[in-house]
Amino acid sequence: GDSVTQMEGPVTLSEEAFLTINCTYTATGYPSLFWYVQYPGEGLQLLLKATKADDKGSNKGFEATYRKETTSFHLEKGSVQVSDSAVYFCALSDRKAAGNKLTFGGGTRVLVKP
Amino acid sequence: ETGVTQTPRHLVMGMTNKKSLKCEQHLGHNAMYWYKQSAKKPLELMFVYSLEERVENNSVPSRFSPECPNSSHLFLHLHTLQPEDSALYLCASSQIRSGGETQYFGPGTRLLVL
């Protein structure tokens, strides 16, 4: 079945540091890939997505590129802020799965210190 | 109201109580989902409704009973829960076309079972 693996946290950084969160996936079909973010006390928000190989999703300074050859979708940001402290989830959606089902990774907690 | 709303935001119940969680989406979507988010566990998909029909039921205990009366509303009826059912329950919706579409999440209901 489909699965998503992402690096375990917590990841602790100083403000303006470079952030990378690794994500790899296993899928039988040709999935769409997503990064969701969950701020404290809130639900999940879509951060960015990519629907085909070599697509780059970007939003709020975050980027991730759909790498089919390495089955990866690593999240990067060049200069983090304290407000980026949150839990980040990598996910995939298999287009052939009934109901547009999402498969999530375990989440990576990021803490940015001033 | 915009997006996906959930009520109540917090709920404390005893093991013999019956309660219901409500989700409403204002996005015109045709699919809705219930997820369970427990501490230190990956997000678990519980139920999927597409065009008001249940298309996925991930071996969820019968003490959780979903209801989707129309495309905008989704309920999760709870009865005789166990303390291990304490978690954040997230609702989401999406517009299914060819698959791989984005899911939009509500803020969640934080449930505590005593």
Side-chain angles (χ1 to χ4, degrees):
Chain A
D2 297 343
S3 66
V4 176
T5 302
Q6 58 181 108
M7 56 192 293
E8 289 190 25
V11 175
T12 303
L13 303 164
S14 297
E15 213 166 16
E16 299 183 2
F18 185 86
L19 170 68
T20 299
I21 303 176
N22 290 338
C23 171
T24 57
Y25 67 90
T26 302
T28 53
Y30 192 178
S32 294
L33 302 174
F34 305 83
W35 276 101
Y36 281 85
V37 58
Q38 186 176 31
Y39 298 104
E42 299 183 14
L44 275 68
Q45 301 176 26
L46 177 68
L47 183 58
L48 52 85
K49 66 182 281 190
T51 58
K52 61 182 187 295
D54 300 324
D55 265 3
K56 178 186 284 188
S58 61
N59 185 27
K60 299 182 180 180
F62 290 89
E63 292 183 342
T65 301
Y66 190 143
R67 301 288 188 199
K68 190 178 179 187
E69 64 276 15
T70 54
T71 62
S72 65
F73 193 53
H74 304 322
L75 182 69
E76 297 182 336
K77 185 173 184 181
S79 177
V80 293
Q81 305 299 313
V82 173
S83 57
D84 294 322
S85 298
V87 181
Y88 293 82
F89 293 91
C90 185
L92 70 83
S93 177
D94 184 345
R95 292 187 183 84
K96 295 182 180 179
N100 193 35
K101 190 174 80 169
L102 272 176
T103 300
F104 284 91
T108 301
R109 184 175 300 277
V110 173
L111 177 61
V112 180
K113 296 187 174 181
Chain B
E1 291 282 10
T2 59
V4 180
T5 58
Q6 291 185 241
T7 54
R9 293 293 308 274
H10 301 273
L11 179 62
V12 180
M13 59 187 289
M15 289 190 285
T16 58
N17 291 159
K18 288 185 179 182
K19 296 286 184 183
S20 294
L21 309 185
K22 179 183 176 182
C23 176
E24 185 173 0
Q25 60 96 0
H26 309 268
L27 300 168
H29 289 164
N30 59 12
M32 297 186 77
Y33 312 79
W34 279 118
Y35 290 86
K36 177 182 179 183
Q37 187 177 29
S38 306
K40 301 183 179 180
K41 289 180 72 175
L43 270 158
E44 302 171 57
L45 178 65
M46 300 175 72
F47 302 104
V48 180
Y49 277 82
S50 176
L51 299 173
E52 301 156 41
E53 286 192 22
R54 193 188 311 177
V55 298
E56 183 108 8
N57 176 355
N58 276 357
S59 303
V60 178
S62 59
R63 57 186 184 268
F64 294 92
S65 175
E67 179 190 1
C68 187
N70 56 61
S71 60
S72 299
H73 294 86
L74 184 66
F75 295 90
L76 188 63
H77 303 299
L78 316 171
H79 64 98
T80 59
L81 294 191
Q82 304 299 310
E84 61 264 28
D85 297 321
S86 298
L88 181 67
Y89 289 85
L90 293 165
C91 174
S93 71
S94 74
Q95 181 65 22
I96 297 178
R97 300 184 186 90
S98 55
E101 285 81 21
T102 301
Q103 290 185 20
Y104 294 85
F105 285 78
T109 295
R110 175 75 61 187
L111 173 67
L112 176 62
V113 181
L114 301 175

